[in-house]
């Protein structure tokens, strides 16, 4: 597509352009006159009474006007929220039932393009086309060499001239419109000519079937690499393809639009997942997913849906993909202030835009769309939002308010639409229309959220990590990990979405009622789909463990000091202030500079085997940790290894205790908070049931405990039957049923957490070790 060459050519062909304008007016004016007549004589009711007749007339006019207008009809044919059913039925013919051109011409074109007789390449070929669309028609044939059935796509003769002429006319119209916008709304920055050129480039590219074949095979490889399930892209026989001929694998199936709504609803979930992979994962997407290009496959061994027609494809840069991911998160969470930043990054809004005006208008314009349901529901929501009821005052007042907001957008908010949005908008409008035919309440933003949640949990690129941190640490959590948000995000990724405001937006701070089980969530955390989240959680778990160990250490030291005798003379040091030989931890993997050192450590398999059960090994091995001897007072060691918690840290420790109490029970919370130092029975009540073989206390142990403390066994049994023990039992059961890969991931993660905590302590006591060595 070269707009300058096209412009130079058609400027010399004014007669051809005049004939095209005459043809357009000759077809459209009688139709528009008929529509106006019905409206004048009987209003909307009269128009609806003739909807079948008008729909047929519109479809015939589009066919006569050619591919540019057929493309428009194809897009409208999948919008039940915009057009009545009669119009949809007629326009659906344009998907693959356009009037075909002569088969004799088509067969001669195949021979001319492939430079061989038909019989040399194909043992059989259908006498008439099996489908005909705006740019080409398709024949079913059989390869002479292999016997495989193929689809031969043959371009319509003279199509390039027609398309070129229409694009030139549309470009001139866009230039006129751009001039009007620049004159009356100079603050608007959308380049409408560039938008048209982007669409024109895609349209022109569709005329090169060699390029389409390359697109098809590229997307086939990408989807296979991403392991997209239930979607199949037919193979292309590239040695039999030219600019005007495309030969690909034949697929038997039924158009998606011919399936019943229940089937459409099921299949569109597959198609939606595939589209989101294209748009938000690989950055190369199908821009024309109308029902004629989506087949329900008869042979499901390869997939349930087949994608066809790859002439109109588009690419998205990685930085724009990341911003789109952020936009979906912020739209679904109704976080419009953050969405402003996303739109600035996407060059939709300028960096100096007036946020005080943009955010309220975003709420009014985008909230109805997020709620789903298409154009009709959008209109209903807008009318409700502006108070446009059935009364005259409501209609007038609502219209005035809407007009005022529209003027604010035009005059005060200099937005622009990036050129590549032309193809993206076409793809979304088309896909959303197909989905609405199966689910009238479909909303693509909310439906896309689980995919985005899975993407956040899986990828470890810095941009995605930042987006994940914003979700987990936002919402007034004071910079701490929100446990509810973590649970909501895990549930969303697993398809269970917590919603608020009548199901319109994601509620990040409320766990859904039908949340997945603790065991399912834990296994999901140990899958390859949550690598990004695990990286973040390992650091978070190390921080939490370090904080809780510091708290427990200080509680233990306080309890011990209270039991020590007071010095007989006031000038004598307390026992904890007297230097004694201690072993100080050093950084793991770092050699000790002391003449003597001690190595400690135990394999992760041995440590976790006690919790999981005998014979249930966990992958990963803890490294050997080094201890260095030093003369240090217990007080100095405590202050260095376990400094006092700040007020903020104390509050965080309390929140961790509350979380443990609600999920694992009060005894587990006591252990986590370090309270077992002053209440050892709490620790025993937790660990004895866990460490008992099979979760049942051995008779000998039960008898011994009964002799020591009558009634103690009963309290253990009671604790084991409570909710906390039930959760602990569920964790134990999950651990015992882990796969080899899951055990390996758990072992490696555990090793990272322990090593991280060890190194934190070692860094804090390092000055003590250096001071001791100097002495």
């Amino acid at each position: 597509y070269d707009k300058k060459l096209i412009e130079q050519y058609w400027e010399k062909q004014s007669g051809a352009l005049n004939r095209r304008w005459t043809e357009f007016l000759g077809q459209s004016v009688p139709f528009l006159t008929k529509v106006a007549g019905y409206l004048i004589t009987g209003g909307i009711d009269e128009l609806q009474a003739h909807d079948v007749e008008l729909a047929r007339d519109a479809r015939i006019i589009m066919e006569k006007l050619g591919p540019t207008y057929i493309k428009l009809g194809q897009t409208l044919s999948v919008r039940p929220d915009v057009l009545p059913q009669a119009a949809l039925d007629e326009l659906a013919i344009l998907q693959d039932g356009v009037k075909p051109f002569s088969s004799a011409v088509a067969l001669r074109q195949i021979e001319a393009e492939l430079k061989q007789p038909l019989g040399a390449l194909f043992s059989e070929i259908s006498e008439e086309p099996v489908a005909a669309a705006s740019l080409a028609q398709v024949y079913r044939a059989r390869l002479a060499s292999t016997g495989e059935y193929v689809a031969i796509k043959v371009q319509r003769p003279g199509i390039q001239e027609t398309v070129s002429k229409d694009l030139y006319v549309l470009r001139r119209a866009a230039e006129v419109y751009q001039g009007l916008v620049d004159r009356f709304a100079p603050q608007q920055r959308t380049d409408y000519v560039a938008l048209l050129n982007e669409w024109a480039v895609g349209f022109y590219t569709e005329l090169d079937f060699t390029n389409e074949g390359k697109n098809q095979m590229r997307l086939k490889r990408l989807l296979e690499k991403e392991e997209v399930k239930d979607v199949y892209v037919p193979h292309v026989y590239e040695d039999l393809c030219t600019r005007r001929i495309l030969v690909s694998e034949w697929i038997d199936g039924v158009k998606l639009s011919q399936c019943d709504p229940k089937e459409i609803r099921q299949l569109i979930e597959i198609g939606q997942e595939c589209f989101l992979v294209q748009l938000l994962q690989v950055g190369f997407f199908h821009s024309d997913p109308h029902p004629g290009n989506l087949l329900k496959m008869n042979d499901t061994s390869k997939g349930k849906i087949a994608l066809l027609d790859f002439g109109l494809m588009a690419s998205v840069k990685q930085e724009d993909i990341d911003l789109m991911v952020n936009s979906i998160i912020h739209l679904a969470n109704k976080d419009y202030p953050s969405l402003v930043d996303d739109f600035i990054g996407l060059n939709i809004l300028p960096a100096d835009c007036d946020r005080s005006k943009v955010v309220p208008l975003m709420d009014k314009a985008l909230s109805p769309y997020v709620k789903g349901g298409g154009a009709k529901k959008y209109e209903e929501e807008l009318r409700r939002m502006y108070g446009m009821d059935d009364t005259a005052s409501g209609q007038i007042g609502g219209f005035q308010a809407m007009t005022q907001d529209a003027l604010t957008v035009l005059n005060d908010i200099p937005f622009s639409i990036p050129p590549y949005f032309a193809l993206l908008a076409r793809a979304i409008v088309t896909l959303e229309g197909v989905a609405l035919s199966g689910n009238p309440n479909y909303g693509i933003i909310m439906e896309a959220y689980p995919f985005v949640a899975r993407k956040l949990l899986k990828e470890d690129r810095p941009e995605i990590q930042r987006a994940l941190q914003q979700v987990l640490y936002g919402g007034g959590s004071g910079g701490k990990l929100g446990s509810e948000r973590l649970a909501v995000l895990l549930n969303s990724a697993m398809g269970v979405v917590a919603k608020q405001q009548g199901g319109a937006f994601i509620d990040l701070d409320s766990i859904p009622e039908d949340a997945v089980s603790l065991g399912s969530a834990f296994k999901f955390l140990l899958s390859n789909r949550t690598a990004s989240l695990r990286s973040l959680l390992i650091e978070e778990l190390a921080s939490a463990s370090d904080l809780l160990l510091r708290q427990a250490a200080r509680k233990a030291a306080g309890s011990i000091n209270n039991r020590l005798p007071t010095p007989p003379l006031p000038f004598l040091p307390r026992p904890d202030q007297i230097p004694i030989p201690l072993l100080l931890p050093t950084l793991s993997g770092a050699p000790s500079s002391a003449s003597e050192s001690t190595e400690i450590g135990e394999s992760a398999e041995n440590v976790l085997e006690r919790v999981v059960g005998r014979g249930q090994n966990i992958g990963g091995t803890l490294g050997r940790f080094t201890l260095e001897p030093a003369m240090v007072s217990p007080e100095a060691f405590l202050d260095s290894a376990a400094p006092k918690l700040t007020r903020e840290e104390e509050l965080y420790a309390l929140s961790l205790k509350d979380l443990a109490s609600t999920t694992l029970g009060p005894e587990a919370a006591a252990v986590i908070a370090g309270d077992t130092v002053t209440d050892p029975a709490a620790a025993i009540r937790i660990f004895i049931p866990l460490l008992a073989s099979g979760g049942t206390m051995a008779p000998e142990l039960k008898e011994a405990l009964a002799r020591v403390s009558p009634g103690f066994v009963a309290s253990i049994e009671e604790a084991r039957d409570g909710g906390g023990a039930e959760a602990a039992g569920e964790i134990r059961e999950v651990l015992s049923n882990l796969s080899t890969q899951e055990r390996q991931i758990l072992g490696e993660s555990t090793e990272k957490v322990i090593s991280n905590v060890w190194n934190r302590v070692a860094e804090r006591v390092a000055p003590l070790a250096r001071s001791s060595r100097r002495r």
Side-chain angles (χ1 to χ4, degrees):
Y1 175 76
D2 189 321
K3 60 181 184 295
K4 291 184 178 179
L5 289 178
I6 292 174
E7 186 174 335
Q8 291 173 6
Y9 176 81
W10 287 112
E11 282 179 347
K12 300 175 183 178
Q13 305 287 330
S14 58
L17 291 176
N18 290 334
R19 287 193 296 272
R20 185 59 172 164
W21 273 111
T22 301
E23 182 182 5
F24 173 76
L25 294 174
Q27 295 290 338
S28 60
V29 170
F31 176 77
L32 295 175
T33 302
K34 182 186 288 188
V35 171
Y38 288 141
L39 284 172
I40 292 171
T41 57
I44 295 296
D45 293 338
E46 186 72 11
L47 200 65
Q48 291 176 342
H50 294 83
D51 58 359
V52 175
E53 170 197 346
L54 291 172
R56 182 173 58 253
D57 290 347
R59 190 259 302 168
I60 293 172
I61 289 170
M62 288 178 180
E63 284 186 336
K64 290 180 177 179
L65 289 176
T68 306
Y69 302 92
I70 291 174
K71 287 286 184 186
L72 173 62
Q74 288 175 342
T75 302
L76 292 174
S77 71
V78 295
R79 298 301 308 201
D81 54 325
V82 176
L83 296 176
Q85 190 59 46
L88 298 178
D89 293 340
E90 278 293 333
L91 295 179
I93 297 173
L94 300 176
Q95 293 169 8
D96 58 9
V98 179
K99 184 178 179 180
F101 62 93
S102 167
S103 287
V105 173
L107 298 181
R108 286 198 298 271
Q109 184 168 313
I110 294 172
E111 290 185 325
E113 289 289 324
L114 299 180
K115 297 180 174 57
Q116 293 188 59
L118 279 177
L121 298 171
F122 308 103
S123 57
E124 59 181 85
I125 188 169
S126 58
E127 295 182 2
E128 298 297 330
V130 295
S134 56
L135 302 182
Q137 57 196 40
V138 178
Y139 293 84
R140 187 174 191 260
R142 192 170 190 174
L143 291 177
S145 56
T146 64
E148 296 172 285
Y149 282 100
V150 295
I152 308 177
K153 185 175 180 179
V154 187
Q155 192 172 114
R156 288 179 177 271
I159 195 72
Q160 185 170 354
E161 179 181 351
T162 304
V163 169
S164 171
K165 193 186 305 179
D166 284 341
L167 291 179
Y168 173 73
V169 171
L170 289 173
R171 187 173 186 276
R172 293 301 300 271
E175 289 172 347
V176 172
Y177 181 74
Q178 186 74 56
L180 292 173
V181 171
D182 293 344
R183 173 67 177 83
F184 295 105
Q187 68 283 352
Q188 294 305 311
R189 303 178 186 181
T190 299
D191 189 339
Y192 294 98
V193 176
L195 272 175
L196 178 74
N197 284 336
E198 185 76 12
W199 181 71
V201 168
F203 203 167
Y204 235 67
T205 304
E206 280 195 89
L207 302 177
D208 184 353
F209 289 175
T210 304
N211 183 69
E212 178 177 344
K214 293 177 180 177
N215 286 343
Q216 188 164 334
M217 292 306 295
R218 178 186 174 189
L219 188 61
K220 182 180 179 70
R221 290 189 293 269
L222 288 171
L223 296 183
E224 288 173 351
K225 181 181 179 182
E226 295 296 326
E227 299 180 351
V228 175
K229 297 179 180 178
D230 298 324
V231 176
Y232 186 71
V233 177
H235 177 74
V236 175
Y237 298 87
E238 295 180 88
D239 56 331
L240 296 177
C241 297
T242 69
R243 283 195 63 182
R244 295 178 177 84
I245 301 293
L246 178 72
V247 179
S248 61
E249 178 183 357
W250 177 264
I251 301 294
D252 286 308
V254 180
K255 283 196 307 182
L256 206 60
S257 57
Q258 295 175 348
C259 300
D260 63 63
K262 184 177 180 180
E263 276 189 310
I264 293 176
R265 191 166 186 164
Q266 293 171 345
L267 294 173
I268 203 62
E269 292 180 5
I270 299 171
Q272 170 190 278
E273 182 80 7
C274 179
F275 175 73
L276 292 172
V277 169
Q278 295 171 54
L279 177 63
L280 301 178
Q281 194 70 27
V282 301
F284 184 63
F285 65 92
H286 196 301
S287 302
D288 196 16
H290 66 70
N293 293 335
L294 300 171
L295 286 186
K296 175 193 171 188
M297 297 179 67
N298 294 343
D299 178 10
T300 57
S301 63
K302 295 181 178 179
K304 295 180 180 178
I305 293 180
L307 287 181
L308 308 176
D309 192 355
F310 298 83
L312 195 59
M313 303 288 293
S315 297
V316 185
K317 295 182 294 185
Q318 185 62 59
E319 52 265 38
D320 289 335
I321 292 176
D322 293 335
L323 287 167
M324 288 180 192
V325 168
N326 287 335
S327 297
I328 292 173
I329 295 170
H330 297 143
L331 265 174
N333 299 334
K334 206 175 182 182
D335 183 1
Y336 293 126
S338 296
L339 188 63
V340 173
D341 294 324
D342 301 331
F343 278 18
I344 290 172
L346 289 167
N347 294 320
I348 296 174
L349 290 171
D352 60 350
C353 64
D354 187 342
R355 292 171 182 261
S356 65
K357 292 181 178 179
V358 171
V359 171
L361 289 173
M362 272 187 167
D363 190 0
K364 292 180 180 179
L366 297 177
S367 292
Y369 177 71
V370 175
K371 293 181 179 181
K376 292 178 182 177
K377 293 285 182 67
Y378 186 89
E379 180 189 357
E380 292 173 6
E381 188 64 23
L382 275 185
R383 293 176 67 87
R384 184 198 63 76
M385 191 180 297
Y386 282 98
M388 299 174 69
D389 53 26
D390 294 332
T391 65
S393 60
Q395 294 284 349
I396 294 173
F399 181 76
Q400 288 176 341
M402 192 182 298
T403 302
Q404 183 60 49
D405 283 345
L407 289 174
T408 300
V409 171
L410 289 174
N411 296 325
D412 300 333
I413 302 177
F415 70 91
S416 62
I417 303 173
Y420 70 86
F421 267 48
L423 296 179
L424 175 59
R426 175 187 170 87
I428 291 177
V429 165
T430 304
L431 182 66
E432 190 175 51
V434 177
L436 285 167
S437 63
N439 176 12
N441 296 315
Y442 180 86
I444 195 167
I445 297 298
M446 296 300 290
E447 295 294 334
Y449 193 81
F451 178 90
V452 170
R454 291 194 298 275
K455 184 178 179 70
L456 290 183
L457 299 181
K458 181 179 181 180
E459 295 188 16
D460 58 1
R461 292 186 303 104
E463 296 81 4
I464 297 300
Q465 284 276 303
R466 282 195 294 270
L468 176 60
Q469 290 171 6
Q470 185 179 26
V471 171
L472 293 179
Y473 293 85
S477 62
K480 299 299 183 183
L481 176 68
S483 57
E484 291 85 2
R485 289 186 163 225
L486 173 60
V488 169
L489 191 63
L490 280 172
N491 277 274
S492 297
M494 298 174 74
V496 182
V497 178
K499 297 181 180 179
Q500 60 178 339
Q501 295 194 12
F505 295 93
I506 301 294
D507 188 348
L508 280 176
D509 299 307
S510 297
I511 299 174
E513 294 181 0
D514 53 345
V516 298
S517 67
L518 181 62
S520 298
F522 189 70
K523 288 180 73 69
F524 185 66
L525 265 175
L526 296 177
S527 70
N528 291 329
R529 294 171 290 175
T530 55
S532 175
L533 178 62
R534 277 201 309 277
S535 298
L536 187 150
L537 285 181
I538 285 171
E539 184 67 26
E540 186 68 31
L541 282 172
S543 297
S545 300
D546 181 57
L547 184 150
L548 293 172
L549 286 172
R550 285 164 53 199
Q551 179 176 257
R554 299 200 73 85
K555 286 182 178 180
S559 178
I560 293 171
N561 288 337
N562 289 335
R563 290 173 170 81
L564 293 176
T566 304
L569 297 174
F571 57 84
L572 293 177
R574 297 194 313 268
D576 63 320
Q577 295 175 330
I578 300 173
I580 60 175
L582 291 177
L583 295 175
L584 305 184
T586 62
L587 293 175
S588 58
S592 172
S593 59
S595 58
E596 296 181 358
S597 65
T598 303
E599 286 187 342
I600 66 169
E602 189 174 10
S603 69
E605 291 95 331
N606 295 337
V607 173
L608 294 174
E609 181 182 348
R610 298 176 183 175
V611 177
V612 178
R614 295 185 180 89
Q616 302 293 340
N617 291 330
I618 300 296
T621 302
L622 296 176
R624 292 288 177 176
F625 297 108
T626 306
L627 294 170
E628 178 180 346
M631 289 296 293
V632 179
S633 70
E635 181 185 55
F637 174 76
L638 179 67
D639 289 341
S640 296
K644 290 182 180 180
L645 273 62
T646 64
R647 179 61 179 165
E648 185 182 37
E649 288 174 332
E650 288 178 347
L651 292 174
Y652 185 40
L654 283 174
S655 70
L656 293 173
K657 180 179 178 180
D658 291 341
L659 176 64
S661 181
T662 56
T663 56
L664 299 176
E667 284 79 16
V671 173
I672 287 173
D675 296 337
T676 51
V677 173
T678 56
D679 183 16
I684 295 174
R685 285 196 296 270
I686 279 293
F687 289 114
I688 285 182
L690 280 175
L691 299 177
S693 175
T696 303
M697 196 181 308
E700 299 83 358
L701 178 60
K702 183 184 296 187
E703 183 179 350
L705 287 172
R707 285 197 301 269
V708 173
S709 176
F712 185 63
V713 172
S715 68
I716 292 176
E717 299 285 0
E718 182 181 350
R720 187 170 57 195
D721 294 334
E726 181 181 345
E730 183 180 358
I731 293 175
R732 181 191 179 100
E733 181 179 356
V734 171
L735 289 173
S736 65
N737 293 317
L738 294 179
S739 67
T740 302
Q741 182 182 11
E742 290 166 344
R743 295 178 191 283
Q744 183 67 29
I745 292 174
L746 177 59
E748 292 171 355
S749 300
T750 303
E751 180 179 345
K752 289 177 181 177
V753 171
I754 295 175
S755 180
N756 190 313
V757 174
W758 178 276
N759 287 336
R760 289 171 187 240
V761 176
E763 286 179 359
R764 290 197 292 265
V765 301
L768 287 179
R770 289 194 295 269
S771 175
S772 177
R773 287 196 296 271
R774 284 196 296 269
R775 290 198 297 268

